[in-house]
Amino acid sequence: MKKKLNKKIIIGVLALQGSFTEHVTALKKLKIETLLIKEAQHIDSVDGLIIPGGESTAILKLMNENKITHILKKYILNGLPVWGTCAGAILLAKKVTGLNKATLGVIDIEIIRNAYGRQNDSFKESVRIPKIQENQFPGIFIRSPKIIKIAKDIAIFGKIRNKEIVGVEHGNILATTFHPELSNNLRIHQYFIDKIKS
Ligand code: GLN
């Protein structure tokens, strides 16, 4: 296991719409090589993938047009480490309220789009993430979805206000409803890198 820690990895960032540039910048700060994924054949070259925030309907439409959805799902089910942030989390979820097209559906959670209402649709809140010993990760929520149900085998990765689940993990899949790439805290990016390396 240890040997792999020094392995050079490439992380793909789905680059169809949304905040993919910010993820690339974060990964560059951590000296990680990145590849912008716009077409299905690019997926084969990466060791892990980030699906950024943005507009899930727009990203999904482009994924379907570029014939990425099916292939990506296959890779994820075969163990490709993937991390979805905000809209990315929506696209990974098995059940989504407010989106009438099939998502990747690879993590057994139920999520509601734009669930925080107008007044509160963008806010900052400290996220508690025990796995990385963070009690106050600066969570930036922008028209975020809300995770309302998780299957028994899904691990809670992060919570706000002591009760609301804002991050989940299951095997190779990580999903957060906030935007770590817009904060200066790179610890979840580092966590994802370490996850890929192990
Ligand atoms: N509201 C967006 C959606 O439903 C998600 C917002 C985001 O990614 N910041 O797709």
Side-chain angles (χ1 to χ4, degrees):
M1 280 286 178
K2 273 226 161 110
K3 258 190 229 151
K4 272 195 186 166
L5 289 174
N6 296 322
K7 197 185 137 216
K8 201 163 175 281
I9 57 161
I10 302 176
I11 298 185
V13 182
L14 191 66
L16 299 171
Q17 192 268 339
S19 60
F20 53 87
T21 314
E22 290 82 352
H23 274 294
V24 169
T25 306
L27 292 169
K28 284 211 170 121
K29 283 186 193 157
L30 295 169
K31 310 255 179 302
I32 293 292
E33 195 176 323
T34 56
L35 184 68
L36 294 180
I37 308 285
K38 292 178 196 276
E39 288 169 45
Q41 77 254 30
H42 297 156
I43 298 167
D44 198 38
S45 321
V46 298
D47 302 291
L49 177 79
I50 292 177
I51 305 179
E55 203 51 49
S56 52
T57 47
I59 299 175
L60 187 58
K61 184 168 178 275
L62 293 166
M63 275 169 64
N64 288 337
E65 278 172 17
N66 295 9
K67 300 197 173 24
I68 290 180
T69 318
H70 199 64
I71 294 166
L72 183 54
K73 183 168 178 164
K74 213 168 88 188
Y75 270 85
I76 298 170
L77 293 177
N78 275 330
L80 178 74
V82 62
W83 173 22
T85 57
C86 207
I90 295 172
L91 294 171
L92 292 171
K94 210 162 230 174
K95 193 160 176 212
V96 183
T97 301
L99 186 65
N100 58 7
K101 285 219 165 71
T103 58
L104 291 161
V106 286
I107 185 162
D108 198 354
I109 60 170
E110 194 175 333
I111 203 165
I112 306 182
R113 290 182 64 213
N114 305 323
Y116 286 93
R118 265 198 209 158
Q119 278 181 2
N120 220 353
D121 68 0
S122 295
F123 59 95
K124 279 188 189 162
E125 190 69 73
S126 295
V127 185
R128 187 157 181 266
I129 311 173
K131 207 154 182 192
I132 54 168
Q133 288 94 41
E134 273 281 6
N135 283 324
Q136 295 194 314
F137 188 94
I140 299 175
F141 293 80
I142 304 170
R143 298 181 62 234
S144 288
K146 202 180 242 179
I147 297 169
I148 54 154
K149 215 171 172 183
I150 65 172
K152 272 203 203 86
D153 56 343
I154 306 293
I156 295 171
F157 182 74
K159 267 188 184 177
I160 56 170
R161 303 160 186 162
N162 263 329
K163 54 179 195 301
E164 287 168 37
I165 300 169
V166 296
V168 286
E169 190 174 31
H170 185 237
N172 54 316
I173 303 164
L174 177 66
T176 55
T177 59
F178 51 101
H179 286 267
E181 78 286 7
L182 301 180
S183 73
N184 288 322
N185 188 320
L186 300 175
R187 294 198 57 207
I188 306 180
H189 285 84
Q190 186 60 56
Y191 174 77
F192 185 58
I193 293 165
D194 294 342
K195 191 175 163 78
I196 295 171
K197 287 183 176 172
S198 66

PDB file of all heavy atoms in Angstrom, residues 99-130:
ATOM      1  N   LEU A  99     -35.362  16.698 -10.978  1.00  0.00           N
ATOM      2  CA  LEU A  99     -34.615  16.426 -12.220  1.00  0.00           C
ATOM      3  C   LEU A  99     -35.286  15.230 -12.870  1.00  0.00           C
ATOM      4  O   LEU A  99     -35.358  14.160 -12.272  1.00  0.00           O
ATOM      5  CB  LEU A  99     -33.146  16.108 -11.875  1.00  0.00           C
ATOM      6  CG  LEU A  99     -32.162  15.922 -13.026  1.00  0.00           C
ATOM      7  CD1 LEU A  99     -31.982  17.226 -13.793  1.00  0.00           C
ATOM      8  CD2 LEU A  99     -30.794  15.497 -12.489  1.00  0.00           C
ATOM      9  N   ASN A 100     -35.807  15.441 -14.073  1.00  0.00           N
ATOM     10  CA  ASN A 100     -36.622  14.357 -14.628  1.00  0.00           C
ATOM     11  C   ASN A 100     -35.891  13.481 -15.647  1.00  0.00           C
ATOM     12  O   ASN A 100     -36.484  12.867 -16.500  1.00  0.00           O
ATOM     13  CB  ASN A 100     -37.910  14.932 -15.232  1.00  0.00           C
ATOM     14  CG  ASN A 100     -37.603  15.947 -16.310  1.00  0.00           C
ATOM     15  OD1 ASN A 100     -36.440  16.118 -16.678  1.00  0.00           O
ATOM     16  ND2 ASN A 100     -38.620  16.623 -16.821  1.00  0.00           N
ATOM     17  N   LYS A 101     -34.559  13.470 -15.508  1.00  0.00           N
ATOM     18  CA  LYS A 101     -33.786  12.566 -16.385  1.00  0.00           C
ATOM     19  C   LYS A 101     -32.936  11.646 -15.512  1.00  0.00           C
ATOM     20  O   LYS A 101     -32.586  12.008 -14.385  1.00  0.00           O
ATOM     21  CB  LYS A 101     -32.856  13.396 -17.270  1.00  0.00           C
ATOM     22  CG  LYS A 101     -33.571  14.109 -18.384  1.00  0.00           C
ATOM     23  CD  LYS A 101     -32.720  14.082 -19.658  1.00  0.00           C
ATOM     24  CE  LYS A 101     -33.528  14.455 -20.876  1.00  0.00           C
ATOM     25  NZ  LYS A 101     -33.889  15.885 -20.888  1.00  0.00           N
ATOM     26  N   ALA A 102     -32.587  10.511 -16.051  1.00  0.00           N
ATOM     27  CA  ALA A 102     -31.768   9.564 -15.281  1.00  0.00           C
ATOM     28  C   ALA A 102     -30.373  10.127 -15.047  1.00  0.00           C
ATOM     29  O   ALA A 102     -29.732  10.647 -15.956  1.00  0.00           O
ATOM     30  CB  ALA A 102     -31.678   8.244 -16.026  1.00  0.00           C
ATOM     31  N   THR A 103     -29.941  10.050 -13.777  1.00  0.00           N
ATOM     32  CA  THR A 103     -28.584  10.486 -13.438  1.00  0.00           C
ATOM     33  C   THR A 103     -27.655   9.271 -13.524  1.00  0.00           C
ATOM     34  O   THR A 103     -28.074   8.206 -13.963  1.00  0.00           O
ATOM     35  CB  THR A 103     -28.547  11.024 -11.994  1.00  0.00           C
ATOM     36  OG1 THR A 103     -28.994   9.981 -11.127  1.00  0.00           O
ATOM     37  CG2 THR A 103     -29.428  12.253 -11.834  1.00  0.00           C
ATOM     38  N   LEU A 104     -26.433   9.428 -13.026  1.00  0.00           N
ATOM     39  CA  LEU A 104     -25.531   8.274 -12.991  1.00  0.00           C
ATOM     40  C   LEU A 104     -26.067   7.242 -12.003  1.00  0.00           C
ATOM     41  O   LEU A 104     -25.900   6.043 -12.198  1.00  0.00           O
ATOM     42  CB  LEU A 104     -24.126   8.721 -12.594  1.00  0.00           C
ATOM     43  CG  LEU A 104     -23.399   9.571 -13.637  1.00  0.00           C
ATOM     44  CD1 LEU A 104     -22.250  10.329 -12.999  1.00  0.00           C
ATOM     45  CD2 LEU A 104     -22.879   8.698 -14.779  1.00  0.00           C
ATOM     46  N   GLY A 105     -26.699   7.725 -10.928  1.00  0.00           N
ATOM     47  CA  GLY A 105     -27.364   6.834  -9.973  1.00  0.00           C
ATOM     48  C   GLY A 105     -26.459   5.805  -9.324  1.00  0.00           C
ATOM     49  O   GLY A 105     -26.841   4.653  -9.159  1.00  0.00           O
ATOM     50  N   VAL A 106     -25.267   6.233  -8.919  1.00  0.00           N
ATOM     51  CA  VAL A 106     -24.309   5.260  -8.395  1.00  0.00           C
ATOM     52  C   VAL A 106     -24.183   5.257  -6.875  1.00  0.00           C
ATOM     53  O   VAL A 106     -23.488   4.425  -6.314  1.00  0.00           O
ATOM     54  CB  VAL A 106     -22.906   5.479  -9.023  1.00  0.00           C
ATOM     55  CG1 VAL A 106     -22.884   5.001 -10.471  1.00  0.00           C
ATOM     56  CG2 VAL A 106     -22.472   6.939  -8.920  1.00  0.00           C
ATOM     57  N   ILE A 107     -24.843   6.192  -6.203  1.00  0.00           N
ATOM     58  CA  ILE A 107     -24.793   6.161  -4.736  1.00  0.00           C
ATOM     59  C   ILE A 107     -26.218   6.264  -4.204  1.00  0.00           C
ATOM     60  O   ILE A 107     -27.012   7.111  -4.659  1.00  0.00           O
ATOM     61  CB  ILE A 107     -23.843   7.247  -4.165  1.00  0.00           C
ATOM     62  CG1 ILE A 107     -23.700   7.115  -2.640  1.00  0.00           C
ATOM     63  CG2 ILE A 107     -24.267   8.663  -4.554  1.00  0.00           C
ATOM     64  CD1 ILE A 107     -22.482   7.825  -2.062  1.00  0.00           C
ATOM     65  N   ASP A 108     -26.512   5.358  -3.265  1.00  0.00           N
ATOM     66  CA  ASP A 108     -27.896   5.186  -2.831  1.00  0.00           C
ATOM     67  C   ASP A 108     -28.311   6.257  -1.813  1.00  0.00           C
ATOM     68  O   ASP A 108     -28.398   6.002  -0.613  1.00  0.00           O
ATOM     69  CB  ASP A 108     -28.060   3.777  -2.256  1.00  0.00           C
ATOM     70  CG  ASP A 108     -29.528   3.372  -2.206  1.00  0.00           C
ATOM     71  OD1 ASP A 108     -30.389   4.227  -2.512  1.00  0.00           O
ATOM     72  OD2 ASP A 108     -29.802   2.213  -1.843  1.00  0.00           O
ATOM     73  N   ILE A 109     -28.531   7.450  -2.341  1.00  0.00           N
ATOM     74  CA  ILE A 109     -29.011   8.556  -1.515  1.00  0.00           C
ATOM     75  C   ILE A 109     -30.156   9.241  -2.265  1.00  0.00           C
ATOM     76  O   ILE A 109     -30.286   9.110  -3.481  1.00  0.00           O
ATOM     77  CB  ILE A 109     -27.908   9.619  -1.223  1.00  0.00           C
ATOM     78  CG1 ILE A 109     -27.369  10.254  -2.529  1.00  0.00           C
ATOM     79  CG2 ILE A 109     -26.775   9.007  -0.426  1.00  0.00           C
ATOM     80  CD1 ILE A 109     -26.475  11.472  -2.306  1.00  0.00           C
ATOM     81  N   GLU A 110     -30.955   9.955  -1.485  1.00  0.00           N
ATOM     82  CA  GLU A 110     -32.031  10.733  -2.088  1.00  0.00           C
ATOM     83  C   GLU A 110     -31.717  12.206  -1.854  1.00  0.00           C
ATOM     84  O   GLU A 110     -31.378  12.615  -0.743  1.00  0.00           O
ATOM     85  CB  GLU A 110     -33.349  10.342  -1.414  1.00  0.00           C
ATOM     86  CG  GLU A 110     -34.551  10.826  -2.175  1.00  0.00           C
ATOM     87  CD  GLU A 110     -35.844  10.301  -1.539  1.00  0.00           C
ATOM     88  OE1 GLU A 110     -35.828   9.223  -0.890  1.00  0.00           O
ATOM     89  OE2 GLU A 110     -36.855  10.995  -1.677  1.00  0.00           O
ATOM     90  N   ILE A 111     -31.839  12.988  -2.890  1.00  0.00           N
ATOM     91  CA  ILE A 111     -31.400  14.382  -2.830  1.00  0.00           C
ATOM     92  C   ILE A 111     -32.454  15.280  -3.488  1.00  0.00           C
ATOM     93  O   ILE A 111     -33.104  14.868  -4.446  1.00  0.00           O
ATOM     94  CB  ILE A 111     -30.002  14.469  -3.526  1.00  0.00           C
ATOM     95  CG1 ILE A 111     -29.170  15.661  -3.074  1.00  0.00           C
ATOM     96  CG2 ILE A 111     -30.088  14.443  -5.020  1.00  0.00           C
ATOM     97  CD1 ILE A 111     -27.686  15.558  -3.464  1.00  0.00           C
ATOM     98  N   ILE A 112     -32.626  16.476  -2.929  1.00  0.00           N
ATOM     99  CA  ILE A 112     -33.585  17.413  -3.528  1.00  0.00           C
ATOM    100  C   ILE A 112     -32.815  18.612  -4.062  1.00  0.00           C
ATOM    101  O   ILE A 112     -32.036  19.235  -3.330  1.00  0.00           O
ATOM    102  CB  ILE A 112     -34.608  17.927  -2.488  1.00  0.00           C
ATOM    103  CG1 ILE A 112     -35.298  16.762  -1.797  1.00  0.00           C
ATOM    104  CG2 ILE A 112     -35.643  18.827  -3.155  1.00  0.00           C
ATOM    105  CD1 ILE A 112     -36.362  17.198  -0.800  1.00  0.00           C
ATOM    106  N   ARG A 113     -33.032  18.925  -5.291  1.00  0.00           N
ATOM    107  CA  ARG A 113     -32.346  20.092  -5.893  1.00  0.00           C
ATOM    108  C   ARG A 113     -32.875  21.393  -5.293  1.00  0.00           C
ATOM    109  O   ARG A 113     -34.045  21.502  -4.938  1.00  0.00           O
ATOM    110  CB  ARG A 113     -32.579  20.141  -7.410  1.00  0.00           C
ATOM    111  CG  ARG A 113     -31.858  19.047  -8.155  1.00  0.00           C
ATOM    112  CD  ARG A 113     -32.086  19.191  -9.651  1.00  0.00           C
ATOM    113  NE  ARG A 113     -31.519  20.429 -10.163  1.00  0.00           N
ATOM    114  CZ  ARG A 113     -32.030  21.125 -11.170  1.00  0.00           C
ATOM    115  NH1 ARG A 113     -33.126  20.720 -11.762  1.00  0.00           N
ATOM    116  NH2 ARG A 113     -31.443  22.219 -11.568  1.00  0.00           N
ATOM    117  N   ASN A 114     -32.006  22.368  -5.229  1.00  0.00           N
ATOM    118  CA  ASN A 114     -32.357  23.731  -4.789  1.00  0.00           C
ATOM    119  C   ASN A 114     -33.246  23.736  -3.545  1.00  0.00           C
ATOM    120  O   ASN A 114     -34.256  24.426  -3.493  1.00  0.00           O
ATOM    121  CB  ASN A 114     -33.086  24.466  -5.929  1.00  0.00           C
ATOM    122  CG  ASN A 114     -32.273  24.458  -7.205  1.00  0.00           C
ATOM    123  OD1 ASN A 114     -31.049  24.568  -7.178  1.00  0.00           O
ATOM    124  ND2 ASN A 114     -32.939  24.313  -8.333  1.00  0.00           N
ATOM    125  N   ALA A 115     -32.811  22.974  -2.553  1.00  0.00           N
ATOM    126  CA  ALA A 115     -33.717  22.711  -1.437  1.00  0.00           C
ATOM    127  C   ALA A 115     -33.667  23.742  -0.317  1.00  0.00           C
ATOM    128  O   ALA A 115     -34.430  23.659   0.626  1.00  0.00           O
ATOM    129  CB  ALA A 115     -33.427  21.330  -0.865  1.00  0.00           C
ATOM    130  N   TYR A 116     -32.765  24.693  -0.393  1.00  0.00           N
ATOM    131  CA  TYR A 116     -32.620  25.604   0.742  1.00  0.00           C
ATOM    132  C   TYR A 116     -33.472  26.869   0.632  1.00  0.00           C
ATOM    133  O   TYR A 116     -33.390  27.745   1.467  1.00  0.00           O
ATOM    134  CB  TYR A 116     -31.143  25.943   0.970  1.00  0.00           C
ATOM    135  CG  TYR A 116     -30.390  24.789   1.589  1.00  0.00           C
ATOM    136  CD1 TYR A 116     -29.714  23.875   0.791  1.00  0.00           C
ATOM    137  CD2 TYR A 116     -30.404  24.578   2.966  1.00  0.00           C
ATOM    138  CE1 TYR A 116     -29.046  22.791   1.347  1.00  0.00           C
ATOM    139  CE2 TYR A 116     -29.740  23.495   3.533  1.00  0.00           C
ATOM    140  CZ  TYR A 116     -29.068  22.614   2.721  1.00  0.00           C
ATOM    141  OH  TYR A 116     -28.418  21.539   3.281  1.00  0.00           O
ATOM    142  N   GLY A 117     -34.261  26.952  -0.410  1.00  0.00           N
ATOM    143  CA  GLY A 117     -35.190  28.088  -0.528  1.00  0.00           C
ATOM    144  C   GLY A 117     -34.483  29.356  -0.962  1.00  0.00           C
ATOM    145  O   GLY A 117     -33.268  29.454  -0.877  1.00  0.00           O
ATOM    146  N   ARG A 118     -35.248  30.316  -1.403  1.00  0.00           N
ATOM    147  CA  ARG A 118     -34.678  31.517  -2.006  1.00  0.00           C
ATOM    148  C   ARG A 118     -33.780  32.339  -1.104  1.00  0.00           C
ATOM    149  O   ARG A 118     -32.666  32.682  -1.456  1.00  0.00           O
ATOM    150  CB  ARG A 118     -35.809  32.424  -2.474  1.00  0.00           C
ATOM    151  CG  ARG A 118     -36.096  32.174  -3.927  1.00  0.00           C
ATOM    152  CD  ARG A 118     -36.862  33.306  -4.510  1.00  0.00           C
ATOM    153  NE  ARG A 118     -37.666  32.757  -5.596  1.00  0.00           N
ATOM    154  CZ  ARG A 118     -38.746  33.331  -6.055  1.00  0.00           C
ATOM    155  NH1 ARG A 118     -39.184  34.455  -5.504  1.00  0.00           N
ATOM    156  NH2 ARG A 118     -39.404  32.792  -7.036  1.00  0.00           N
ATOM    157  N   GLN A 119     -34.283  32.610   0.107  1.00  0.00           N
ATOM    158  CA  GLN A 119     -33.521  33.483   0.986  1.00  0.00           C
ATOM    159  C   GLN A 119     -32.192  32.886   1.383  1.00  0.00           C
ATOM    160  O   GLN A 119     -31.216  33.579   1.578  1.00  0.00           O
ATOM    161  CB  GLN A 119     -34.334  33.757   2.247  1.00  0.00           C
ATOM    162  CG  GLN A 119     -35.324  34.858   2.002  1.00  0.00           C
ATOM    163  CD  GLN A 119     -36.110  35.161   3.257  1.00  0.00           C
ATOM    164  OE1 GLN A 119     -35.880  34.566   4.298  1.00  0.00           O
ATOM    165  NE2 GLN A 119     -37.035  36.072   3.147  1.00  0.00           N
ATOM    166  N   ASN A 120     -32.212  31.595   1.481  1.00  0.00           N
ATOM    167  CA  ASN A 120     -31.046  30.901   2.005  1.00  0.00           C
ATOM    168  C   ASN A 120     -30.318  30.154   0.903  1.00  0.00           C
ATOM    169  O   ASN A 120     -29.556  29.256   1.166  1.00  0.00           O
ATOM    170  CB  ASN A 120     -31.556  29.897   3.046  1.00  0.00           C
ATOM    171  CG  ASN A 120     -30.645  29.844   4.240  1.00  0.00           C
ATOM    172  OD1 ASN A 120     -29.583  30.453   4.217  1.00  0.00           O
ATOM    173  ND2 ASN A 120     -31.034  29.110   5.236  1.00  0.00           N
ATOM    174  N   ASP A 121     -30.563  30.550  -0.351  1.00  0.00           N
ATOM    175  CA  ASP A 121     -30.079  29.650  -1.395  1.00  0.00           C
ATOM    176  C   ASP A 121     -28.569  29.655  -1.548  1.00  0.00           C
ATOM    177  O   ASP A 121     -27.992  28.737  -2.094  1.00  0.00           O
ATOM    178  CB  ASP A 121     -30.841  29.787  -2.711  1.00  0.00           C
ATOM    179  CG  ASP A 121     -30.611  31.104  -3.399  1.00  0.00           C
ATOM    180  OD1 ASP A 121     -29.856  31.936  -2.858  1.00  0.00           O
ATOM    181  OD2 ASP A 121     -31.179  31.285  -4.474  1.00  0.00           O
ATOM    182  N   SER A 122     -27.887  30.679  -1.012  1.00  0.00           N
ATOM    183  CA  SER A 122     -26.433  30.630  -0.920  1.00  0.00           C
ATOM    184  C   SER A 122     -26.029  31.035   0.487  1.00  0.00           C
ATOM    185  O   SER A 122     -26.504  32.044   0.994  1.00  0.00           O
ATOM    186  CB  SER A 122     -25.807  31.573  -1.930  1.00  0.00           C
ATOM    187  OG  SER A 122     -26.098  31.118  -3.230  1.00  0.00           O
ATOM    188  N   PHE A 123     -25.203  30.256   1.100  1.00  0.00           N
ATOM    189  CA  PHE A 123     -24.784  30.562   2.465  1.00  0.00           C
ATOM    190  C   PHE A 123     -23.464  29.861   2.792  1.00  0.00           C
ATOM    191  O   PHE A 123     -23.018  28.977   2.051  1.00  0.00           O
ATOM    192  CB  PHE A 123     -25.863  30.146   3.475  1.00  0.00           C
ATOM    193  CG  PHE A 123     -26.212  28.681   3.438  1.00  0.00           C
ATOM    194  CD1 PHE A 123     -25.606  27.784   4.308  1.00  0.00           C
ATOM    195  CD2 PHE A 123     -27.140  28.184   2.527  1.00  0.00           C
ATOM    196  CE1 PHE A 123     -25.925  26.417   4.284  1.00  0.00           C
ATOM    197  CE2 PHE A 123     -27.462  26.824   2.494  1.00  0.00           C
ATOM    198  CZ  PHE A 123     -26.853  25.947   3.375  1.00  0.00           C
ATOM    199  N   LYS A 124     -22.868  30.349   3.887  1.00  0.00           N
ATOM    200  CA  LYS A 124     -21.647  29.692   4.368  1.00  0.00           C
ATOM    201  C   LYS A 124     -21.966  29.029   5.693  1.00  0.00           C
ATOM    202  O   LYS A 124     -22.688  29.602   6.510  1.00  0.00           O
ATOM    203  CB  LYS A 124     -20.556  30.736   4.601  1.00  0.00           C
ATOM    204  CG  LYS A 124     -19.859  31.125   3.332  1.00  0.00           C
ATOM    205  CD  LYS A 124     -18.657  31.999   3.653  1.00  0.00           C
ATOM    206  CE  LYS A 124     -18.105  32.558   2.365  1.00  0.00           C
ATOM    207  NZ  LYS A 124     -17.241  33.697   2.584  1.00  0.00           N
ATOM    208  N   GLU A 125     -21.434  27.862   5.888  1.00  0.00           N
ATOM    209  CA  GLU A 125     -21.689  27.148   7.144  1.00  0.00           C
ATOM    210  C   GLU A 125     -20.506  26.223   7.424  1.00  0.00           C
ATOM    211  O   GLU A 125     -19.923  25.660   6.501  1.00  0.00           O
ATOM    212  CB  GLU A 125     -22.980  26.339   6.977  1.00  0.00           C
ATOM    213  CG  GLU A 125     -23.544  25.710   8.204  1.00  0.00           C
ATOM    214  CD  GLU A 125     -24.097  26.706   9.211  1.00  0.00           C
ATOM    215  OE1 GLU A 125     -25.173  27.283   8.951  1.00  0.00           O
ATOM    216  OE2 GLU A 125     -23.449  26.898  10.244  1.00  0.00           O
ATOM    217  N   SER A 126     -20.150  26.119   8.703  1.00  0.00           N
ATOM    218  CA  SER A 126     -19.052  25.214   9.064  1.00  0.00           C
ATOM    219  C   SER A 126     -19.494  23.769   8.935  1.00  0.00           C
ATOM    220  O   SER A 126     -20.545  23.393   9.445  1.00  0.00           O
ATOM    221  CB  SER A 126     -18.654  25.437  10.518  1.00  0.00           C
ATOM    222  OG  SER A 126     -18.126  26.714  10.661  1.00  0.00           O
ATOM    223  N   VAL A 127     -18.678  23.004   8.272  1.00  0.00           N
ATOM    224  CA  VAL A 127     -18.996  21.594   8.090  1.00  0.00           C
ATOM    225  C   VAL A 127     -18.108  20.759   9.008  1.00  0.00           C
ATOM    226  O   VAL A 127     -16.898  20.975   9.083  1.00  0.00           O
ATOM    227  CB  VAL A 127     -18.764  21.146   6.629  1.00  0.00           C
ATOM    228  CG1 VAL A 127     -19.225  19.704   6.428  1.00  0.00           C
ATOM    229  CG2 VAL A 127     -19.478  22.075   5.647  1.00  0.00           C
ATOM    230  N   ARG A 128     -18.732  19.837   9.683  1.00  0.00           N
ATOM    231  CA  ARG A 128     -17.975  18.941  10.546  1.00  0.00           C
ATOM    232  C   ARG A 128     -17.639  17.671   9.767  1.00  0.00           C
ATOM    233  O   ARG A 128     -18.538  16.978   9.275  1.00  0.00           O
ATOM    234  CB  ARG A 128     -18.816  18.620  11.786  1.00  0.00           C
ATOM    235  CG  ARG A 128     -18.083  17.859  12.786  1.00  0.00           C
ATOM    236  CD  ARG A 128     -18.668  18.012  14.178  1.00  0.00           C
ATOM    237  NE  ARG A 128     -17.801  17.224  15.043  1.00  0.00           N
ATOM    238  CZ  ARG A 128     -18.047  15.965  15.357  1.00  0.00           C
ATOM    239  NH1 ARG A 128     -19.159  15.391  14.976  1.00  0.00           N
ATOM    240  NH2 ARG A 128     -17.183  15.287  16.086  1.00  0.00           N
ATOM    241  N   ILE A 129     -16.342  17.414   9.622  1.00  0.00           N
ATOM    242  CA  ILE A 129     -15.904  16.247   8.846  1.00  0.00           C
ATOM    243  C   ILE A 129     -14.933  15.415   9.691  1.00  0.00           C
ATOM    244  O   ILE A 129     -13.708  15.593   9.616  1.00  0.00           O
ATOM    245  CB  ILE A 129     -15.228  16.682   7.523  1.00  0.00           C
ATOM    246  CG1 ILE A 129     -16.094  17.711   6.777  1.00  0.00           C
ATOM    247  CG2 ILE A 129     -14.943  15.481   6.629  1.00  0.00           C
ATOM    248  CD1 ILE A 129     -15.452  18.317   5.550  1.00  0.00           C
ATOM    249  N   PRO A 130     -15.470  14.527  10.519  1.00  0.00           N
ATOM    250  CA  PRO A 130     -14.622  13.765  11.446  1.00  0.00           C
ATOM    251  C   PRO A 130     -13.481  13.018  10.750  1.00  0.00           C
ATOM    252  O   PRO A 130     -12.389  12.932  11.277  1.00  0.00           O
ATOM    253  CB  PRO A 130     -15.601  12.772  12.083  1.00  0.00           C
ATOM    254  CG  PRO A 130     -16.944  13.384  11.906  1.00  0.00           C
ATOM    255  CD  PRO A 130     -16.893  14.181  10.647  1.00  0.00           C
TER     256      PRO A 130
END
